[in-house]
Amino acid sequence: QVQLVESGGGLVQAGGSLRLSCAASGSISSINSMGWYHQAPGKQRFLVAAITTGESANYADSVKGRFTISRDNAKNTLYLQMNSLKPEDTAVYYCYAEARRMIYWGQGTQVTVSS
C-alpha cells in the first residue's frame, strides 16, 4: 500500500507560479513511476506530467516549458513546479504512484488561476 498526500494548491493570477508537493508513505520502495493528473469541472482526468524512478520525465504538450516535475527520494516527495500559469490550468491536481501494477491516488489539491 502507498499513501499520497498533496499540498501546495491555491489561487494565483495568470502568469504566476505554484509548487505542488506530494508526500508518499507506505511501500515506498515498490514505487515505479509517479506523476500528476488534473481534472477540470465536467472534464476527464488528464495526465499533466510523469516521472520514472530513472528520472525520465514526460509532459503534456500544453504544459511543456512551463511545468517541471521532480522527485526527492530522500524526502519521499514528488513536486510539480508550475510557472506561467494560465486560466485553463485551473483544475484539481491529483498525484499518483504506480507500484506493483497498482495505481494509488492522493486526495487532490485545487489550483485556480484567475485572469
Side-chain angles (χ1 to χ4, degrees):
Q1 292 278 342
V2 175
Q3 295 78 43
L4 303 170
V5 178
E6 299 106 331
S7 60
L11 173 63
V12 64
Q13 288 188 332
S17 298
L18 283 173
R19 188 176 80 155
L20 305 183
S21 300
C22 173
S25 60
S27 300
I28 304 297
S29 61
S30 65
I31 293 176
N32 293 317
S33 63
M34 298 184 74
W36 296 91
Y37 277 72
H38 77 200
Q39 187 167 21
K43 295 188 177 181
Q44 290 187 332
R45 204 167 283 193
F46 174 81
L47 179 62
V48 175
I51 188 167
T52 66
T53 51
E55 306 291 330
S56 175
N58 292 289
Y59 299 91
D61 287 344
S62 60
V63 306
K64 282 181 181 176
R66 300 189 298 123
F67 290 11
T68 302
I69 189 170
S70 62
R71 58 196 290 179
D72 185 332
N73 292 324
K75 295 182 178 180
N76 297 325
T77 302
L78 178 73
Y79 301 100
L80 185 68
Q81 178 66 44
M82 305 186 294
N83 299 328
S84 302
L85 282 161
K86 304 176 181 179
E88 51 264 42
D89 295 320
T90 294
V92 178
Y93 284 71
Y94 296 92
C95 169
Y96 80 89
E98 184 275 317
R100 296 181 180 141
R101 301 182 183 180
M102 296 284 291
I103 302 295
Y104 300 90
W105 295 97
Q107 82 285 357
T109 186
Q110 176 70 46
V111 171
T112 303
V113 184
S114 63
S115 57

